[in-house]
Amino acid sequence: MVDNGPPTGPSIGAGMAPTGGTVLRAEAIEAGYGRVQVLWGAGLTVRPQESVVLLGANGAGKTTLLKVIVGLLPAWKGHVVLDPDDVTSWRTDRRVRRGMAYMSELGVFPGLSIEENLRVGGQFIDRSALRTRMDELFSYFPDLAARRSTLAGALSGGQRKMLGIAKALASSPRLLVMDEPSAGLSPLFVGQVIEVLGKFREQGLAMLIAEQNVAFLDLADRVFTLEGGRIRFEGTVAALEADDSLHKAYFGLS
Ligand code: ATP
């Protein structure tokens, strides 16, 4: 196993006692690939209507933690609780049926049209509910509404990201889990993605957003930082900014 070195601070998630009032609880997760351990007791919580940002540099283990949370990678140790169920051993589709949605960095199927992507995203809800949901989503994403039969692969990077968000939301989830929504986007499109996510946040959608772009902290009710597969900090954006070493690590020396 790879030793990522000693923890750089308290591992908040390790041995976390059960707490009420959460949509999602990942507890003391250990996981990795083959014999390579990436997560070393990482844990986090998302409360109802809360927007949580998981901040970490390249290679910190954000994607790995998200994959364990959504069931694409098994946890070696620890638990994932999607209120009220311990879903640690559940397949991804079962978690999606219970209200979890996932947007990977890629996010869409390029060979399918905009409408087909939304149908895939909403495959577990009934037809009439999906029709209503799609109309609702198209009102948030007018550029997509105008091009329903266009292939996702023909869209610009920014539009593709919007489609990824819409596809994840097609199932009307209670928790949206997103892996680096800023990936591959120019600052202009990053701003647009943050704006549209802000609208869903206002409606009370619980979100977990893994990012290295601090612009996403505008959306954060709470922040967790991940370093070397361990949670180093949990708290508000103000508390993160007030901590000198974290401020230097994530906001530079200004
Ligand atoms: P990034 O922003 O670059 O995606 P991240 O914080 O999401 O970073 P992960 O993708 O979870 O980090 O990667 C954590 C560690 O696991 C890295 O050292 C990476 O090289 C390793 N890793 C990721 N995927 C695999 C894999 N399929 N097989 C082996 N090692 C992997």
PDB file of all heavy atoms in Angstrom, residues 33-34 36 38-39 56-65 67 105 179-180 212 226, ligand 1:
ATOM      1  N   TYR A  33      -7.431   1.884  -5.384  1.00  0.00           N
ATOM      2  CA  TYR A  33      -7.431   1.148  -6.653  1.00  0.00           C
ATOM      3  C   TYR A  33      -6.409   0.031  -6.548  1.00  0.00           C
ATOM      4  O   TYR A  33      -5.230   0.296  -6.311  1.00  0.00           O
ATOM      5  CB  TYR A  33      -7.079   2.091  -7.797  1.00  0.00           C
ATOM      6  CG  TYR A  33      -7.978   3.313  -7.848  1.00  0.00           C
ATOM      7  CD1 TYR A  33      -7.619   4.491  -7.180  1.00  0.00           C
ATOM      8  CD2 TYR A  33      -9.194   3.283  -8.524  1.00  0.00           C
ATOM      9  CE1 TYR A  33      -8.438   5.611  -7.216  1.00  0.00           C
ATOM     10  CE2 TYR A  33     -10.022   4.397  -8.559  1.00  0.00           C
ATOM     11  CZ  TYR A  33      -9.642   5.559  -7.902  1.00  0.00           C
ATOM     12  OH  TYR A  33     -10.462   6.660  -7.938  1.00  0.00           O
ATOM     13  N   GLY A  34      -6.854  -1.223  -6.740  1.00  0.00           N
ATOM     14  CA  GLY A  34      -5.925  -2.336  -6.593  1.00  0.00           C
ATOM     15  C   GLY A  34      -5.342  -2.330  -5.188  1.00  0.00           C
ATOM     16  O   GLY A  34      -6.081  -2.354  -4.209  1.00  0.00           O
ATOM     17  N   VAL A  36      -3.409   0.158  -4.151  1.00  0.00           N
ATOM     18  CA  VAL A  36      -3.055   1.551  -3.845  1.00  0.00           C
ATOM     19  C   VAL A  36      -4.181   2.212  -3.047  1.00  0.00           C
ATOM     20  O   VAL A  36      -5.284   2.413  -3.570  1.00  0.00           O
ATOM     21  CB  VAL A  36      -2.806   2.356  -5.147  1.00  0.00           C
ATOM     22  CG1 VAL A  36      -2.471   3.817  -4.817  1.00  0.00           C
ATOM     23  CG2 VAL A  36      -1.698   1.715  -5.948  1.00  0.00           C
ATOM     24  N   VAL A  38      -6.058   5.265  -1.463  1.00  0.00           N
ATOM     25  CA  VAL A  38      -6.169   6.702  -1.761  1.00  0.00           C
ATOM     26  C   VAL A  38      -6.859   7.445  -0.608  1.00  0.00           C
ATOM     27  O   VAL A  38      -6.458   8.531  -0.224  1.00  0.00           O
ATOM     28  CB  VAL A  38      -6.943   6.925  -3.086  1.00  0.00           C
ATOM     29  CG1 VAL A  38      -7.226   8.411  -3.318  1.00  0.00           C
ATOM     30  CG2 VAL A  38      -6.170   6.340  -4.259  1.00  0.00           C
ATOM     31  N   LEU A  39      -7.907   6.859  -0.055  1.00  0.00           N
ATOM     32  CA  LEU A  39      -8.652   7.511   1.036  1.00  0.00           C
ATOM     33  C   LEU A  39      -8.299   6.846   2.357  1.00  0.00           C
ATOM     34  O   LEU A  39      -8.300   5.614   2.469  1.00  0.00           O
ATOM     35  CB  LEU A  39     -10.161   7.414   0.787  1.00  0.00           C
ATOM     36  CG  LEU A  39     -10.666   8.086  -0.498  1.00  0.00           C
ATOM     37  CD1 LEU A  39     -12.159   7.838  -0.674  1.00  0.00           C
ATOM     38  CD2 LEU A  39     -10.368   9.589  -0.496  1.00  0.00           C
ATOM     39  N   GLY A  56     -10.047  20.500  -2.860  1.00  0.00           N
ATOM     40  CA  GLY A  56      -8.784  19.761  -2.785  1.00  0.00           C
ATOM     41  C   GLY A  56      -8.011  19.923  -4.072  1.00  0.00           C
ATOM     42  O   GLY A  56      -8.596  20.148  -5.134  1.00  0.00           O
ATOM     43  N   ALA A  57      -6.694  19.792  -3.972  1.00  0.00           N
ATOM     44  CA  ALA A  57      -5.832  19.927  -5.143  1.00  0.00           C
ATOM     45  C   ALA A  57      -5.949  18.688  -6.024  1.00  0.00           C
ATOM     46  O   ALA A  57      -6.572  17.691  -5.634  1.00  0.00           O
ATOM     47  CB  ALA A  57      -4.393  20.116  -4.676  1.00  0.00           C
ATOM     48  N   ASN A  58      -5.317  18.732  -7.180  1.00  0.00           N
ATOM     49  CA  ASN A  58      -5.218  17.562  -8.053  1.00  0.00           C
ATOM     50  C   ASN A  58      -4.677  16.377  -7.288  1.00  0.00           C
ATOM     51  O   ASN A  58      -3.667  16.507  -6.604  1.00  0.00           O
ATOM     52  CB  ASN A  58      -4.215  17.840  -9.187  1.00  0.00           C
ATOM     53  CG  ASN A  58      -4.894  18.454 -10.376  1.00  0.00           C
ATOM     54  OD1 ASN A  58      -6.087  18.283 -10.569  1.00  0.00           O
ATOM     55  ND2 ASN A  58      -4.138  19.185 -11.168  1.00  0.00           N
ATOM     56  N   GLY A  59      -5.352  15.244  -7.395  1.00  0.00           N
ATOM     57  CA  GLY A  59      -4.817  14.030  -6.787  1.00  0.00           C
ATOM     58  C   GLY A  59      -5.118  13.882  -5.304  1.00  0.00           C
ATOM     59  O   GLY A  59      -4.703  12.908  -4.675  1.00  0.00           O
ATOM     60  N   ALA A  60      -5.870  14.816  -4.727  1.00  0.00           N
ATOM     61  CA  ALA A  60      -6.178  14.735  -3.288  1.00  0.00           C
ATOM     62  C   ALA A  60      -7.095  13.555  -2.965  1.00  0.00           C
ATOM     63  O   ALA A  60      -7.120  13.071  -1.837  1.00  0.00           O
ATOM     64  CB  ALA A  60      -6.819  16.042  -2.820  1.00  0.00           C
ATOM     65  N   GLY A  61      -7.871  13.139  -3.974  1.00  0.00           N
ATOM     66  CA  GLY A  61      -8.778  12.010  -3.751  1.00  0.00           C
ATOM     67  C   GLY A  61     -10.252  12.387  -3.853  1.00  0.00           C
ATOM     68  O   GLY A  61     -11.120  11.594  -3.482  1.00  0.00           O
ATOM     69  N   LYS A  62     -10.542  13.562  -4.394  1.00  0.00           N
ATOM     70  CA  LYS A  62     -11.937  14.030  -4.460  1.00  0.00           C
ATOM     71  C   LYS A  62     -12.795  13.078  -5.302  1.00  0.00           C
ATOM     72  O   LYS A  62     -13.872  12.660  -4.877  1.00  0.00           O
ATOM     73  CB  LYS A  62     -12.003  15.450  -5.063  1.00  0.00           C
ATOM     74  CG  LYS A  62     -11.196  16.490  -4.319  1.00  0.00           C
ATOM     75  CD  LYS A  62     -11.332  17.875  -4.935  1.00  0.00           C
ATOM     76  CE  LYS A  62     -10.810  17.996  -6.353  1.00  0.00           C
ATOM     77  NZ  LYS A  62      -9.364  17.735  -6.520  1.00  0.00           N
ATOM     78  N   THR A  63     -12.298  12.779  -6.515  1.00  0.00           N
ATOM     79  CA  THR A  63     -13.077  11.896  -7.395  1.00  0.00           C
ATOM     80  C   THR A  63     -13.267  10.533  -6.743  1.00  0.00           C
ATOM     81  O   THR A  63     -14.355   9.940  -6.813  1.00  0.00           O
ATOM     82  CB  THR A  63     -12.359  11.732  -8.756  1.00  0.00           C
ATOM     83  OG1 THR A  63     -12.255  13.014  -9.367  1.00  0.00           O
ATOM     84  CG2 THR A  63     -13.116  10.799  -9.680  1.00  0.00           C
ATOM     85  N   THR A  64     -12.225  10.059  -6.102  1.00  0.00           N
ATOM     86  CA  THR A  64     -12.307   8.744  -5.461  1.00  0.00           C
ATOM     87  C   THR A  64     -13.386   8.753  -4.377  1.00  0.00           C
ATOM     88  O   THR A  64     -14.203   7.829  -4.288  1.00  0.00           O
ATOM     89  CB  THR A  64     -10.929   8.371  -4.874  1.00  0.00           C
ATOM     90  OG1 THR A  64      -9.944   8.470  -5.924  1.00  0.00           O
ATOM     91  CG2 THR A  64     -10.925   6.965  -4.315  1.00  0.00           C
ATOM     92  N   LEU A  65     -13.420   9.799  -3.559  1.00  0.00           N
ATOM     93  CA  LEU A  65     -14.437   9.879  -2.498  1.00  0.00           C
ATOM     94  C   LEU A  65     -15.838   9.961  -3.107  1.00  0.00           C
ATOM     95  O   LEU A  65     -16.770   9.287  -2.651  1.00  0.00           O
ATOM     96  CB  LEU A  65     -14.150  11.084  -1.577  1.00  0.00           C
ATOM     97  CG  LEU A  65     -15.105  11.284  -0.404  1.00  0.00           C
ATOM     98  CD1 LEU A  65     -15.242  10.021   0.444  1.00  0.00           C
ATOM     99  CD2 LEU A  65     -14.651  12.459   0.475  1.00  0.00           C
ATOM    100  N   LYS A  67     -16.782   8.795  -5.976  1.00  0.00           N
ATOM    101  CA  LYS A  67     -17.138   7.495  -6.560  1.00  0.00           C
ATOM    102  C   LYS A  67     -17.598   6.513  -5.484  1.00  0.00           C
ATOM    103  O   LYS A  67     -18.503   5.708  -5.710  1.00  0.00           O
ATOM    104  CB  LYS A  67     -15.945   6.909  -7.323  1.00  0.00           C
ATOM    105  CG  LYS A  67     -15.755   7.549  -8.690  1.00  0.00           C
ATOM    106  CD  LYS A  67     -14.638   6.863  -9.429  1.00  0.00           C
ATOM    107  CE  LYS A  67     -14.536   7.352 -10.862  1.00  0.00           C
ATOM    108  NZ  LYS A  67     -13.320   6.850 -11.521  1.00  0.00           N
ATOM    109  N   GLU A 105     -17.081  14.276 -14.326  1.00  0.00           N
ATOM    110  CA  GLU A 105     -16.422  15.363 -15.066  1.00  0.00           C
ATOM    111  C   GLU A 105     -16.883  15.383 -16.517  1.00  0.00           C
ATOM    112  O   GLU A 105     -17.034  16.435 -17.114  1.00  0.00           O
ATOM    113  CB  GLU A 105     -14.903  15.205 -15.005  1.00  0.00           C
ATOM    114  CG  GLU A 105     -14.314  15.794 -13.742  1.00  0.00           C
ATOM    115  CD  GLU A 105     -12.798  15.832 -13.769  1.00  0.00           C
ATOM    116  OE1 GLU A 105     -12.234  16.259 -14.796  1.00  0.00           O
ATOM    117  OE2 GLU A 105     -12.189  15.422 -12.768  1.00  0.00           O
ATOM    118  N   ASP A 179     -18.759  16.215  -9.734  1.00  0.00           N
ATOM    119  CA  ASP A 179     -17.301  16.168  -9.769  1.00  0.00           C
ATOM    120  C   ASP A 179     -16.782  17.274 -10.677  1.00  0.00           C
ATOM    121  O   ASP A 179     -17.009  17.249 -11.882  1.00  0.00           O
ATOM    122  CB  ASP A 179     -16.828  14.789 -10.273  1.00  0.00           C
ATOM    123  CG  ASP A 179     -15.343  14.582  -9.996  1.00  0.00           C
ATOM    124  OD1 ASP A 179     -14.735  15.436  -9.325  1.00  0.00           O
ATOM    125  OD2 ASP A 179     -14.811  13.558 -10.445  1.00  0.00           O
ATOM    126  N   GLU A 180     -16.112  18.201 -10.109  1.00  0.00           N
ATOM    127  CA  GLU A 180     -15.452  19.309 -10.799  1.00  0.00           C
ATOM    128  C   GLU A 180     -16.252  19.908 -11.947  1.00  0.00           C
ATOM    129  O   GLU A 180     -15.843  19.804 -13.119  1.00  0.00           O
ATOM    130  CB  GLU A 180     -14.068  18.866 -11.279  1.00  0.00           C
ATOM    131  CG  GLU A 180     -13.022  19.593 -10.465  1.00  0.00           C
ATOM    132  CD  GLU A 180     -11.592  19.264 -10.856  1.00  0.00           C
ATOM    133  OE1 GLU A 180     -11.164  18.138 -10.578  1.00  0.00           O
ATOM    134  OE2 GLU A 180     -10.924  20.148 -11.402  1.00  0.00           O
ATOM    135  N   GLN A 212     -11.557  22.256  -7.268  1.00  0.00           N
ATOM    136  CA  GLN A 212     -10.337  22.913  -6.830  1.00  0.00           C
ATOM    137  C   GLN A 212     -10.404  24.410  -7.117  1.00  0.00           C
ATOM    138  O   GLN A 212      -9.517  25.167  -6.730  1.00  0.00           O
ATOM    139  CB  GLN A 212      -9.111  22.290  -7.477  1.00  0.00           C
ATOM    140  CG  GLN A 212      -9.199  22.079  -8.963  1.00  0.00           C
ATOM    141  CD  GLN A 212      -7.976  21.326  -9.456  1.00  0.00           C
ATOM    142  OE1 GLN A 212      -6.866  21.629  -9.064  1.00  0.00           O
ATOM    143  NE2 GLN A 212      -8.180  20.331 -10.297  1.00  0.00           N
ATOM    144  N   LEU A 226      -9.825  18.360   1.432  1.00  0.00           N
ATOM    145  CA  LEU A 226      -9.279  17.005   1.367  1.00  0.00           C
ATOM    146  C   LEU A 226      -7.813  17.103   0.967  1.00  0.00           C
ATOM    147  O   LEU A 226      -7.481  17.749  -0.036  1.00  0.00           O
ATOM    148  CB  LEU A 226     -10.066  16.206   0.328  1.00  0.00           C
ATOM    149  CG  LEU A 226      -9.807  14.709   0.235  1.00  0.00           C
ATOM    150  CD1 LEU A 226     -10.242  13.982   1.507  1.00  0.00           C
ATOM    151  CD2 LEU A 226     -10.542  14.112  -0.972  1.00  0.00           C
TER     152      LEU A 226
HETATM  153  P1  ATP B   1      -8.252  15.497  -9.887  1.00  0.00           P
HETATM  154  O1  ATP B   1      -8.710  16.867  -9.632  1.00  0.00           O
HETATM  155  O2  ATP B   1      -6.921  15.448 -10.588  1.00  0.00           O
HETATM  156  O3  ATP B   1      -9.280  14.596 -10.501  1.00  0.00           O
HETATM  157  P2  ATP B   1      -8.803  14.208  -7.364  1.00  0.00           P
HETATM  158  O4  ATP B   1      -8.689  14.968  -6.078  1.00  0.00           O
HETATM  159  O5  ATP B   1     -10.167  13.979  -7.894  1.00  0.00           O
HETATM  160  O6  ATP B   1      -7.887  14.898  -8.426  1.00  0.00           O
HETATM  161  P3  ATP B   1      -8.489  11.374  -7.609  1.00  0.00           P
HETATM  162  O7  ATP B   1      -8.848  11.370  -9.054  1.00  0.00           O
HETATM  163  O8  ATP B   1      -9.456  10.818  -6.644  1.00  0.00           O
HETATM  164  O9  ATP B   1      -8.069  12.837  -7.138  1.00  0.00           O
HETATM  165  O10 ATP B   1      -7.094  10.610  -7.482  1.00  0.00           O
HETATM  166  C1  ATP B   1      -6.483  10.365  -6.215  1.00  0.00           C
HETATM  167  C2  ATP B   1      -5.288   9.466  -6.427  1.00  0.00           C
HETATM  168  O11 ATP B   1      -5.720   8.206  -6.936  1.00  0.00           O
HETATM  169  C3  ATP B   1      -4.267  10.010  -7.413  1.00  0.00           C
HETATM  170  O12 ATP B   1      -2.984   9.731  -6.922  1.00  0.00           O
HETATM  171  C4  ATP B   1      -4.554   9.228  -8.671  1.00  0.00           C
HETATM  172  O13 ATP B   1      -3.376   9.061  -9.428  1.00  0.00           O
HETATM  173  C5  ATP B   1      -5.025   7.889  -8.117  1.00  0.00           C
HETATM  174  N1  ATP B   1      -5.960   7.230  -9.038  1.00  0.00           N
HETATM  175  C6  ATP B   1      -7.091   7.757  -9.525  1.00  0.00           C
HETATM  176  N2  ATP B   1      -7.732   6.884 -10.323  1.00  0.00           N
HETATM  177  C7  ATP B   1      -6.973   5.767 -10.333  1.00  0.00           C
HETATM  178  C8  ATP B   1      -7.078   4.484 -10.969  1.00  0.00           C
HETATM  179  N3  ATP B   1      -8.131   4.185 -11.751  1.00  0.00           N
HETATM  180  N4  ATP B   1      -6.092   3.587 -10.736  1.00  0.00           N
HETATM  181  C9  ATP B   1      -5.057   3.884  -9.942  1.00  0.00           C
HETATM  182  N5  ATP B   1      -4.884   5.064  -9.304  1.00  0.00           N
HETATM  183  C10 ATP B   1      -5.831   5.996  -9.504  1.00  0.00           C
END
